[in-house]
Amino acid sequence: MKIIVDVNLAVRWANMLLERGIEATHWTAIGAANAQDIEIMSYARQNDYSIFTNDLDFSAILVATRASGPSVIQIRAEDIRPEPHLDRVADILVKFSTSIEQGAIITIDPNKTRLHILPFALPEESV
């Protein structure tokens, strides 16, 4: 599993995940800090990365396009520094690594974790 840490999260996230044995790279080590989400998603898909972010746009793009990847792991908390969340995030990445490799959206908030397998199925239209 390879993780791109989005620009809206500190570079420390990538460094601290690496220390936990999780291959992580901050987007700014790959591309421009002002890159559009679609560019980051395209790079991630082509290079077998998942995206770790605080941005809801990535999951919205996956839902709208019914794409099967890349996986998106989103942290939803007021304090998005790695220090208060690192243990939990690292544990979740390991626990759900198979789902992440196959295509998933994982939402981590202070009270719960939600897993959605990709692609999202839209409700069938009534005839």
Side-chain angles (χ1 to χ4, degrees), residues 1 24 27 41 64 67 73 75-76 80 85 98 121 126:
M1 168 179 37
W27 173 254
M41 288 189 79
I73 302 95
I75 186 163
R76 305 299 303 156
I80 56 173
H85 306 287
T98 300
S126 48

Side-chain angles (χ1 to χ4, degrees), residues 46-61:
Q46 292 171 6
N47 294 281
D48 297 320
Y49 279 91
S50 296
I51 300 169
F52 180 50
T53 187
N54 180 248
D55 184 349
L56 296 176
D57 291 343
F58 290 102
S59 57
I61 292 168

Side-chain angles (χ1 to χ4, degrees), residues 12-20 22 52 75 81-93:
R12 290 190 328 276
W13 271 106
N15 298 334
M16 294 173 96
L17 288 170
L18 276 169
E19 290 171 0
R20 296 292 178 101
I22 298 168
F52 180 50
I75 186 163
R81 294 174 302 127
E83 293 79 7
H85 306 287
L86 181 64
D87 289 338
R88 184 163 177 236
V89 168
D91 289 347
I92 288 167
L93 291 174

Side-chain angles (χ1 to χ4, degrees), residues 23-84:
E23 187 176 345
T25 304
H26 197 268
W27 173 254
T28 56
I30 298 169
N34 64 348
Q36 298 293 313
D37 292 344
I38 199 73
E39 179 183 345
I40 297 169
M41 288 189 79
S42 178
Y43 181 91
R45 187 178 301 111
Q46 292 171 6
N47 294 281
D48 297 320
Y49 279 91
S50 296
I51 300 169
F52 180 50
T53 187
N54 180 248
D55 184 349
L56 296 176
D57 291 343
F58 290 102
S59 57
I61 292 168
L62 288 171
V63 170
T65 62
R66 290 187 260 175
S68 58
S71 289
V72 172
I73 302 95
Q74 50 196 20
I75 186 163
R76 305 299 303 156
E78 287 185 33
D79 181 358
I80 56 173
R81 294 174 302 127
E83 293 79 7

